[in-house]
Amino acid sequence: MKKIICILMLIIGSLTYSFGKEEGNRSIKVIGESILNVAPDTLEIKISFSEIKPTYEEAVKSSEKTLNFIQNKLKDKGIKKDQIKTTYFNIDSYYENVKNENGNYENKFLGYRYTHKIYVDLDIKDKKAGEVLKVFNNLKIENVDVALMYKLKNDKDIKNKLMVGAFENAQEKAKILAKAGNFDIAEIQEIEYISKGDGKEVEPLGRGVKLYQINGNMNIQPDDLQMKDKVMVIWRIK
């Protein structure tokens, strides 16, 4: 059972009073925040690899060959092909500053570099994580990077709770300020959802080739993920 801890924080939000000649012009604006600490249920293994080849065609073929190699190796560890997702693929001309015979640096074309990024999601309780990492131990590629991330497989319900919690937090602040300022709040004039992205702070396990040295008995004890959300609410002041 997931451990979910909801923390509704009373923070100092954006507060403004606007007074006009007419009563309806007065308003109070408050920002509410909601925070949830949630136990992750998924381990994401992110793999990025790249190579430089003399021609564009060789770069394409090399990328395909390497991807097929990785897919077959992961298949041997019980990972199905449809579990391996591509998030990014690109081929660019590659240049480097090199010193010429006169001792001056010049921008020299060295070939075409492909960059391929893939990931595999595993249940947090799956024991295959260590075995999957060992796949890359003998991978004959110079530029390869592996990172592990915790996440939630489905965070829709959590996001809904965060939005409700952020609104309730703004409402609570408005009531406290109204009491302190000796005024009453009326109907809501505006609500603005001001979160950036999904508000999720994903905790990395680590990064780099040294991760490949983890053995097949890797025991993962993840910390909770912290997810945040904010809303801005404007009330009319009576």
Side-chain angles (χ1 to χ4, degrees):
M1 182 176 180
K2 294 180 180 177
K3 174 185 175 185
I4 300 179
I5 304 173
C6 181
I7 306 173
L8 292 177
M9 299 181 62
L10 284 174
I11 62 171
I12 299 176
S14 174
L15 172 63
T16 62
Y17 291 93
S18 300
F19 295 99
K21 295 181 179 180
E22 298 180 4
E23 186 74 13
N25 287 342
R26 300 194 305 163
S27 64
I28 178 174
K29 177 171 66 177
V30 181
I31 292 178
E33 181 178 26
S34 181
I35 299 175
L36 289 173
N37 290 334
V38 187
D41 58 13
T42 301
L43 172 66
E44 182 175 280
I45 303 177
K46 306 174 75 171
I47 306 107
S48 174
F49 52 95
S50 65
E51 288 181 288
I52 301 171
K53 294 296 179 180
T55 67
Y56 187 92
E57 291 75 15
E58 287 179 272
V60 172
K61 289 179 180 180
S62 180
S63 175
E64 292 175 349
K65 182 179 178 180
T66 303
L67 179 60
N68 289 332
F69 174 80
I70 291 174
Q71 288 175 335
N72 290 331
K73 289 293 184 180
L74 292 177
K75 182 180 178 182
D76 293 340
K77 302 299 181 182
I79 304 298
K80 297 179 181 179
K81 188 175 181 179
D82 60 3
Q83 289 181 265
I84 305 170
K85 309 292 186 180
T86 294
T87 59
Y88 179 82
F89 178 75
N90 187 51
I91 299 178
D92 276 329
S93 301
Y94 185 77
Y95 296 83
E96 278 189 2
N97 285 325
V98 297
K99 188 179 291 187
N100 60 26
E101 56 185 10
N102 298 321
N104 299 319
Y105 283 94
E106 60 182 20
N107 205 22
K108 184 177 181 180
F109 173 73
L110 297 181
Y112 293 87
R113 179 175 63 182
Y114 77 80
T115 302
H116 206 141
K117 297 181 181 181
I118 61 176
Y119 74 91
V120 176
D121 281 349
L122 297 175
D123 188 279
I124 203 71
K125 298 178 182 178
D126 200 320
K127 302 300 182 182
K128 291 196 293 285
E131 291 297 324
V132 168
L133 291 174
K134 287 171 65 177
V135 164
F136 305 94
N137 197 29
N138 298 313
L139 193 60
K140 304 300 182 181
I141 299 178
E142 292 183 2
N143 300 311
V144 60
D145 187 59
V146 176
L148 307 182
M149 294 287 185
Y150 301 129
K151 68 177 189 179
L152 290 176
K153 187 175 183 179
N154 188 346
D155 57 6
K156 181 180 178 180
D157 291 341
I158 300 298
K159 288 181 178 180
N160 290 341
K161 289 180 181 179
L162 284 168
M163 284 191 289
V164 172
F167 173 79
E168 291 176 345
N169 181 239
Q171 191 173 44
E172 184 178 357
K173 290 177 185 178
K175 290 179 180 179
I176 292 172
L177 291 168
K179 183 177 180 180
N182 195 27
F183 61 84
D184 294 320
I185 57 175
E187 72 277 0
I188 293 174
Q189 293 183 324
E190 183 180 345
I191 298 178
E192 181 180 351
Y193 185 58
I194 58 176
S195 286
K196 303 297 183 182
D198 60 9
K200 180 166 51 181
E201 295 183 0
V202 181
E203 296 293 336
L205 233 80
R207 182 176 293 274
V209 180
K210 291 182 180 179
L211 284 172
Y212 311 159
Q213 300 171 2
I214 298 176
N215 61 43
N217 297 320
M218 182 175 65
N219 185 23
I220 298 173
Q221 298 294 333
D223 291 332
D224 286 348
L225 297 176
Q226 188 175 88
M227 301 177 69
K228 299 179 180 180
D229 230 341
K230 290 182 180 180
V231 296
M232 185 270 289
V233 186
I234 300 176
W235 281 271
R236 184 177 66 82
I237 295 176
K238 292 182 181 180

